[in-house]
Amino acid sequence: MLIIGSHVGYKKDSGLVGSVKEALSYKANTFMFYTGAPQNTIRSSIDLNNVKEAYKLMEENNINKDNVIVHAPYIINLANGDESKFNFSCNFLSEELKRVNKFGMKYLVLHPGSHVGEGVETGISNIVKALNLVLSKDDSNVMILLETMAGKGSEVGKTFEEIKAIMDGVNYKNRIGVCIDTCHLNDAGYDLTNFTEVLNTFDKIIGIDKIKCIHINDSKNILGSHKDRHENIGKGAIGLDTLLEVINNPKLKDVPKILETPYIDGHAPYKEEIELIKSRSII
Ligand code: FE
Ligand code: FE
Ligand code: ZN
């Protein structure tokens, strides 16, 4: 069965219940949320009664919690070796893993980071050091999913080889997976019109079984542009047919697909986009 949803909000007052309700309003059977604003460190305490109520709502509506994704805030940058920034990022990631565990979710999507001029190799070694440090002190089973990036600025993780190099350095193999993002892949230069080949390449370098989440976005920019500007489904450089190739790929059947497409005139496009995708889905 197609597992599809979108990014949804998480608000202090309505908590996870509010997030589930938003997902249901889009007729989604999964969703992704940030545990607070992605650009700051303010996090409210988790109301476990609210979480319990959210789980009840999920069960009643066939949302499997193992398909629900949490996205780490952008302010975490494990690639930056500057001591105070590095420590800040490690501490915040530790806290975030604890929060995900408290919510009872399984996956935390993380942007690997930007090397801010230090070079890719230094960036990768900083990320590896950070992940080993954080995971050595974390006793949850939450899996960190490294997201494939567009290669904007000094972003690390724009190629499968870079992601693989990070994974190779991490000592806690069962705690690391991958989230592929179609907009990022396009912008990084992976031609999705030949998705079979892209997936084969991924399989050879990393292994398809490591893909635990897919972000489904069209792109405002052409192949290899290194821009990272998401576009609505079917309205961008990738196009609906190519996105459907990804969505309908039998090898990725059980992987949750999450839309992060932009709002249109202040309105979430997800209900319509999910409906469109479902109407063309063969899995
Ligand atoms: Fe992301
Ligand atoms: Fe993404
Ligand atoms: Zn993006």
Side-chain angles (χ1 to χ4, degrees), residues 71 109 111 147 184 215 260:
H71 200 307
V109 170
H111 294 181
E147 183 164 351
H184 298 177
H215 289 166
E260 304 174 296

Side-chain angles (χ1 to χ4, degrees), residues 11-69:
K11 289 173 198 82
K12 190 173 176 261
D13 296 334
S14 54
L16 192 62
V17 170
S19 307
V20 175
K21 283 183 179 166
E22 188 183 340
L24 293 174
S25 77
Y26 304 145
K27 296 204 162 37
N29 58 4
T30 189
F31 60 94
M32 179 176 84
F33 69 105
Y34 291 86
T35 65
Q39 65 277 21
N40 70 40
T41 53
I42 304 160
R43 294 293 180 270
S44 51
S45 61
I46 299 166
D47 173 0
L48 289 175
N49 283 325
N50 178 288
V51 174
K52 222 171 137 185
E53 200 185 322
Y55 271 67
K56 195 167 164 265
L57 202 55
M58 281 156 60
E59 267 164 40
E60 287 164 1
N61 290 281
N62 295 317
I63 296 180
N64 180 344
K65 75 168 182 73
D66 291 345
N67 292 327
V68 175
I69 310 289

Side-chain angles (χ1 to χ4, degrees), residues 112-217:
S114 295
H115 64 68
V116 293
E118 296 296 309
V120 180
E121 271 175 41
T122 306
I124 288 172
S125 83
N126 290 337
I127 296 165
V128 167
K129 191 174 138 199
L131 289 173
N132 280 328
L133 195 74
V134 169
L135 290 173
S136 71
K137 294 187 213 147
D138 186 82
D139 53 11
S140 75
N141 285 317
V142 176
M143 191 186 248
I144 294 174
L145 307 183
L146 300 170
E147 183 164 351
T148 61
M149 301 309 289
K152 187 175 78 180
S154 64
E155 275 174 354
V156 178
K158 62 189 178 300
T159 64
F160 301 154
E161 286 82 359
E162 288 179 16
I163 298 279
K164 169 71 171 160
I166 300 167
M167 295 174 89
D168 279 347
V170 176
N171 300 324
Y172 308 85
K173 307 287 184 212
N174 56 346
R175 303 286 305 276
I176 297 283
V178 180
C179 168
I180 59 172
D181 181 310
T182 53
C183 169
H184 298 177
L185 288 175
N186 173 79
D187 290 16
Y190 289 101
D191 185 1
L192 297 177
T193 58
N194 197 345
F195 185 60
T196 308
E197 198 187 299
V198 172
L199 201 57
N200 280 340
T201 307
F202 185 96
D203 196 35
K204 266 181 220 134
I205 299 170
I206 297 173
I208 290 182
D209 59 311
K210 294 288 178 193
I211 303 176
K212 305 296 184 190
C213 176
I214 306 178
H215 289 166
I216 303 288
N217 303 303

Side-chain angles (χ1 to χ4, degrees), residues 210-270:
K210 294 288 178 193
I211 303 176
K212 305 296 184 190
C213 176
I214 306 178
H215 289 166
I216 303 288
N217 303 303
D218 214 321
S219 174
K220 285 193 194 294
N221 294 285
I222 56 162
L223 182 70
S225 58
H226 302 298
K227 286 277 200 334
D228 190 8
R229 292 191 63 214
H230 301 186
E231 180 56 284
N232 292 101
I233 301 303
K235 305 276 167 61
I238 303 172
L240 179 60
D241 288 339
T242 301
L243 289 171
L244 287 166
E245 290 289 318
V246 179
I247 293 162
N248 287 324
N249 191 292
K251 288 179 180 162
L252 303 171
K253 180 168 66 63
D254 300 323
V255 181
K257 283 122 190 142
I258 304 288
L259 302 165
E260 304 174 296
T261 50
Y263 274 43
I264 303 169
D265 300 326
H267 296 285
Y270 307 126

